Amino acid sequence: MAEAVVVEGHVDEAPTGRAGGTRLRRRRAALWALVAACAAVYASYSLLRLRAFRASSYDLVIFDQAIRSYSRFELPVAMVKGVHNGFGPHFAILGDHFSPVLALLAPLYWIHDGPGTLLVAQAVLFALAIVPIWRYTQRRFGAAAAYCAGAAYALSWPVAEALAFDFHEVAFVPVLSALMVERYDAGRRGWAAAAALSLLLVKEDMGLLLVGFGFFLLTRHDTGHGAESPAGRRREAEESDGTDTAADTDEAGRSGHGGWLPRGDRRAGLAYIVGGLVATWVSSRLIIAVFGGDNDYYWAYGSLGPDLPHAAVHALTNPWDVLAVLGTPPHKLGTMALLVLPLLLLPLASPLTLTVLPLLAERMLASRFGNWWEPHYHYNAFIIAVLVMASVDGAARLRRRAGPRVRARLPAVLPASAMLTAAVVCVPFFAFVHLADSALWRRNDRARAAASAAARIPDGALVESANAIGPALSPRARVLLWDGQPRRAPWVIADVERLEFPFRTVAEQRRRVESLLAGGYREVYRADGYIVLHRPGADPW
């Protein structure tokens, strides 16, 4: 639950005596070791996928081209996105998604220019979210539980699936959303607001996350005593099972997780709601158009209405239709269940879950863009950090309601350790299982053929590339996505063996190659399904 006031400070900021200082240093070392280990695993997995030609032009090359443009002090132009989607070769991705925060990564391209840089940056950003999750959990259940909660997030399937789908602006969201919740929980409202404002620079719909957080703040109660007050938290700590140290229990009492200054919370809640709504409208309806985007490109709610006003009226007058859309297709219900089941349904016991509901509804109320409600891809990583924290809060609430005798019998670390166990059980069913695939660690024949095909393309050339090979070419060539439209690029890398985005069948890919050969291209390389075609002539761009 969000924190209104910190009375005296945090245990890790005010240790008592030499023993407390030693304990603090050890905890910090262990925490940062966990962060570093997760970042290393994430980066290794992503770079291995890149080396094995399992990354994709759409979307990794889009971001690579855009951030390379930023590094040259230009607008974030992504030719591959603009040409494929009909916006033209000079299209800036700010007209697709309002994500100016990506400019922060541009200086990294002065060190190493290539998509691998983005993958490493994403790995570090995802891992950094462990820190606010740890601090939030430690204040409720102690350090041991905090490590378990951080690890449960680190192994969660939304993080794994996001890493398996190249790089996206979502990399910034877990750490910023967790900071927003944790800093407000710690009474640091200015820092929470700074994190919230930063979220608005990540994507045009991040204002919905602020709206949800505002609704959460409106649920707070003005108790001033009992379980929700600092005194109540102190009594709970004193009744704990003894797994935490004396400093931990003193911190649990002093940190004051409760309903102080509810008027301030109500004002803050309203400010987050209004600010989030305004920011979302301005970003999606004004700024994107300024950069050449189509405001209706991502309108996916045709079952509710042709535009937002009509959809809003329809939802208010026909609420049962909204519920029907949430379950159509039923696959949506499966994804929503997967979000809470590995967290032991604990988010359902916490009003903090309100924070993610507007962003989740944005996807689940859609009637097209089926990727939005899949458990795969990166979309669920937008909300997983807050859901883990809601699980911790839900467990703390259930524990308080259980009474002192039950609390004395149940270790404080139990909920978080159970969450970690569930996360481990889920690992074989999602993307991290690929780490056991030998072809990820050692190039097979097809990956070697892909590398050879990429090597045939001269530096600086314009190339229409099969989706899987584009990332290998992007640092040194101008990459377009090979699709069904004639682009007249001098070089083409095609695939006639396996289905490649955006084609619907392999037969369609083969017909496309035949039409290119008939149009004057000649074959210069073929192996394991990859074909390199070349046609001398003028570069159209």
Side-chain angles (χ1 to χ4, degrees), residues 136-157:
Y136 184 87
T137 307
Q138 190 269 342
R139 287 198 291 269
R140 285 157 176 75
F141 290 112
Y147 293 120
C148 290
Y153 156 80
L155 292 173
S156 65
W157 66 264

Side-chain angles (χ1 to χ4, degrees), residues 308-394:
L308 182 59
H310 287 87
V313 171
H314 186 103
L316 291 174
T317 57
N318 300 275
W320 293 112
D321 289 352
V322 175
L323 294 178
V325 173
L326 285 173
T328 307
H331 198 55
K332 293 178 181 178
L333 299 177
T335 297
M336 288 188 280
L338 278 172
L339 286 168
V340 294
L341 285 174
L343 298 175
L344 312 179
L345 302 179
L346 290 172
L348 303 182
S350 170
L352 182 58
T353 302
L354 290 171
T355 303
V356 307
L357 291 187
L359 202 58
L360 185 62
E362 178 193 28
R363 294 163 45 210
M364 297 304 168
L365 289 175
S367 53
R368 63 188 185 100
F369 296 124
N371 291 349
W372 288 4
W373 55 75
E374 287 282 340
H376 305 297
Y377 310 110
H378 60 290
Y379 301 106
N380 298 291
F382 282 97
I383 61 177
I384 185 58
V386 175
L387 282 176
V388 171
M389 298 168 88
S391 301
V392 171
D393 180 59

Side-chain angles (χ1 to χ4, degrees), residues 461-486:
L462 179 68
V463 54
E464 297 176 49
S465 173
N467 193 41
I469 299 185
L473 293 167
S474 188
R476 63 180 186 83
R478 293 174 295 150
V479 176
L480 300 175
L481 183 65
W482 178 56
D483 55 23
Q485 298 298 318

Side-chain angles (χ1 to χ4, degrees), residues 35-36 38-47 50 60 63-64 67 101-109 111-112 114-129 153 159 162-163 166-176:
V35 171
C38 290
V41 171
Y42 294 166
S44 298
Y45 174 55
S46 299
L47 292 174
L50 179 64
L60 184 55
F63 289 103
D64 178 59
I67 296 173
V101 72
L102 294 173
L104 294 177
L105 301 179
L108 299 179
Y109 269 53
I111 301 171
H112 180 270
T117 299
L118 300 184
L119 299 178
V120 173
Q122 178 172 257
V124 173
L125 287 167
F126 273 150
L128 285 175
Y153 156 80
V159 172
L163 290 167
D166 305 331
F167 171 90
H168 293 87
E169 67 283 325
V170 69
F172 290 89
V173 176
V175 62
L176 289 175

Side-chain angles (χ1 to χ4, degrees), residues 29 48 53 59 71 144 148 150 169 208 255 277 300 306-307 334 336 347 422 501:
L48 284 169
F53 290 88
D59 295 325
S71 72
C148 290
E169 67 283 325
L208 298 179
S255 61
L277 289 173
D307 52 35
M336 288 188 280
F501 175 84

Side-chain angles (χ1 to χ4, degrees), residues 31 127-139 174-183 385 389:
L31 172 60
L128 285 175
I130 294 171
V131 176
I133 292 172
W134 187 96
R135 292 173 65 88
Y136 184 87
T137 307
Q138 190 269 342
R139 287 198 291 269
V175 62
L176 289 175
S177 60
L179 276 172
M180 178 180 69
V181 174
E182 188 276 329
R183 288 291 81 191
M389 298 168 88

